[in-house]
Amino acid sequence: MRRGRGNEHMDSLSGGTRAAGVGSDDPLAGRSIAVVGGGFGGLSAACYLADAGADVTLLEKNDQVGGRASQFETEGFRFDMGPSWYLMPDVFERFFGHFERQPTDYYGLSRLDPHYRVFFKDGDRVDLTPDRDQVRATFESYEDGAAEAFDAYLDQSESTYEAAMERFVYTDRPRLRDWVDSEVFRSAPVGLNLLRSMDDHVSNYFEHPKLQQIMQYTLVFLGGSPKNTPALYTMMSHVDFNLGVYYPEGGFGGVVDGIADLARELGVTFETGAEVTEITRRRERFLVDTVAGTHSPNAVVSDADYAHTEQELLPEHERQYSEDYWDDRTLAPSAFLLYLGVEGDVEPLAHHTLVLPTDWDGHFAQIFDEPAWPDDPAYYLCVPSK
């Protein structure tokens, strides 16, 4: 049952609970909302909206929800097709906590040890573990004074993370004047970090190139380079070393299933195989056309790609940007992915394994300056069987 709600009844069709509507304290009671796309954004939006009393239908074009976190199964192997790092556990706890639940009500979690393993292509190897003293000793072995620098770096990373999450991520600032307040000014260090590059910031703490790579590796996943990514992302080191790296039972598909189960408990109706082809406004309602039929909700939330929603789903007069605008955008580079089903031993790999080139700067230069396939690419292996 949804938390603290009165006047509810079981809905035998959706398998969840719905507010009775008339006389309900729910702010969206009596409103129908279509959510387009079943990725994490769509699933979480559907949960919040249903909890506020709306009659929510989630429309997903694929046969499974999850979006970029979908799973692929074949010949006895199962792969997470997108994200594979369970980081920032506090975000998941905050989400489930809103509904008076916790992540472990839906899936198990194991903290990884090591968090990840790094192979440098000169033959060197480093394990980054949950043991803070072990990591400090590892850093000190590369550079005198690096253990203390590591502590100072993490202190700064933690303060940046806390300020960024509370004052920027969890605070809605839709208008320019919303940024002119005392909280923003109190967060000046975060703002200054936006103006510097990760390359400059990390080099203030560590001189050894391998230590710099360890502190910058997340940029590979962000689609940026140390020279063009803001130092705000120093906060990811707090995520790595302080909050920890976990593995959810069932992989990220288990997390998707957990949030989908929560959504059903809240009364969300799911329609898979229902690709949306057009969204149009009709007085106080919308028409949402899918390959399987048409819906007429009071409101629509699209979790599809922004460019796709504007250019493919909305009529021209409803678009905020032109086709030329999207053509001029610089997109992050794509990754080359392989899903490998391996029978037998996979030593010496860890669950998360990074293989980093010796020429770090040259690697990024080949990708960003004059885009080409790098001669000596960095790559990442996820081995969930570990």
Side-chain angles (χ1 to χ4, degrees):
M1 299 292 286
R2 280 192 286 133
R3 58 186 180 88
R5 302 298 188 203
N7 301 321
E8 294 178 332
H9 64 274
M10 294 301 294
D11 184 328
S12 60
L13 295 178
S14 67
T17 60
R18 294 185 186 276
V22 179
S24 171
D25 293 332
D26 296 333
L28 295 180
R31 302 275 291 175
S32 61
I33 300 177
V35 175
V36 179
F40 279 122
L43 288 170
S44 59
C47 289
Y48 285 119
L49 293 167
D51 191 55
D55 182 2
V56 180
T57 300
L58 187 145
L59 305 170
E60 166 58 47
K61 69 176 181 179
N62 296 313
D63 292 331
Q64 61 174 314
V65 294
R68 287 182 173 82
S70 295
Q71 289 195 323
F72 171 57
E73 294 190 41
T74 183
E75 298 182 40
F77 294 96
R78 183 176 62 196
F79 304 92
D80 282 323
M81 298 181 70
S84 58
W85 293 67
Y86 191 95
L87 301 171
M88 300 167 70
D90 54 318
V91 172
F92 294 92
E93 290 164 5
R94 178 185 175 119
F95 169 74
F96 282 101
H98 177 83
F99 309 99
E100 296 186 354
R101 292 161 170 87
Q102 53 190 349
T104 50
D105 291 336
Y106 297 91
Y107 52 86
L109 283 174
S110 301
R111 187 164 186 175
L112 298 180
D113 187 2
H115 284 168
Y116 53 97
R117 177 170 293 162
V118 179
F119 288 96
F120 296 99
K121 292 190 179 181
D122 63 2
D124 198 6
R125 164 179 162 175
V126 177
D127 277 3
L128 286 308
T129 75
D131 185 340
R132 178 77 168 263
D133 289 337
Q134 179 271 331
V135 177
R136 294 179 79 258
T138 296
F139 273 58
E140 190 71 20
S141 70
Y142 281 96
E143 180 182 322
D144 290 341
E148 289 188 7
F150 177 73
D151 290 337
Y153 188 93
L154 282 195
D155 286 344
Q156 190 274 337
S157 173
E158 182 176 8
S159 63
T160 298
Y161 180 86
E162 291 175 351
M165 296 301 287
E166 290 303 323
R167 296 176 184 170
F168 298 98
V169 174
Y170 290 133
T171 301
D172 188 23
R173 302 182 190 275
R175 300 162 300 184
L176 181 60
R177 66 174 178 268
D178 295 327
W179 292 85
V180 186
D181 67 24
S182 58
E183 281 197 351
V184 174
F185 289 114
R186 285 199 300 271
S187 303
V190 176
L192 292 174
N193 278 339
L194 287 170
L195 303 177
R196 307 175 63 196
S197 71
M198 278 289 290
D199 189 53
D200 290 338
H201 182 76
V202 172
S203 63
N204 285 336
Y205 290 84
F206 309 102
E207 293 183 6
H208 199 286
K210 290 181 179 177
L211 297 183
Q212 292 179 0
Q213 289 185 38
I214 290 171
M215 307 312 280
Q216 295 171 349
Y217 83 90
T218 51
L219 306 182
V220 176
F221 299 106
L222 294 170
S225 81
K227 296 185 185 301
N228 69 16
T229 301
L232 175 66
Y233 285 98
T234 178
M235 69 181 188
M236 293 308 296
S237 292
H238 169 65
V239 172
D240 257 359
F241 296 106
N242 291 337
L243 299 183
V245 183
Y246 295 82
Y247 180 70
E249 181 183 359
F252 262 80
V255 181
V256 170
D257 290 344
I259 299 177
D261 287 345
L262 169 62
R264 292 187 180 94
E265 292 170 13
L266 297 170
V268 176
T269 299
F270 286 77
E271 291 189 16
T272 56
E275 181 177 0
V276 173
T277 57
E278 187 175 32
I279 302 170
T280 54
R281 190 189 304 268
R282 290 290 187 272
R283 292 180 179 270
E284 296 182 359
R285 288 184 172 270
F286 289 83
L287 287 183
V288 181
D289 292 326
T290 78
V291 296
T294 300
H295 294 262
S296 182
N298 297 117
V300 179
V301 175
S302 180
D303 186 46
D305 282 343
Y306 191 4
H308 173 74
T309 299
E310 283 223 326
Q311 298 298 301
E312 304 297 333
L313 303 185
L314 297 179
E316 189 170 354
H317 67 274
E318 296 279 11
R319 299 171 187 170
Q320 296 188 65
Y321 299 105
S322 67
E323 186 176 350
D324 290 340
Y325 169 87
W326 291 109
D327 289 341
D328 287 342
R329 297 305 91 192
T330 299
L331 304 180
S334 299
F336 179 67
L337 301 179
L338 293 170
Y339 303 109
L340 302 175
V342 179
E343 295 181 348
D345 191 14
V346 288
E347 292 292 345
L349 303 179
H351 179 104
H352 294 306
T353 300
L354 301 162
V355 181
L356 303 181
T358 304
D359 185 6
W360 190 240
D361 292 338
H363 164 73
F364 287 107
Q366 280 192 292
I367 293 175
F368 288 96
D369 296 345
E370 294 186 17
W373 182 261
D375 295 326
D376 192 19
Y379 57 94
Y380 156 70
L381 302 99
C382 179
V383 190
S385 59
K386 284 286 191 176

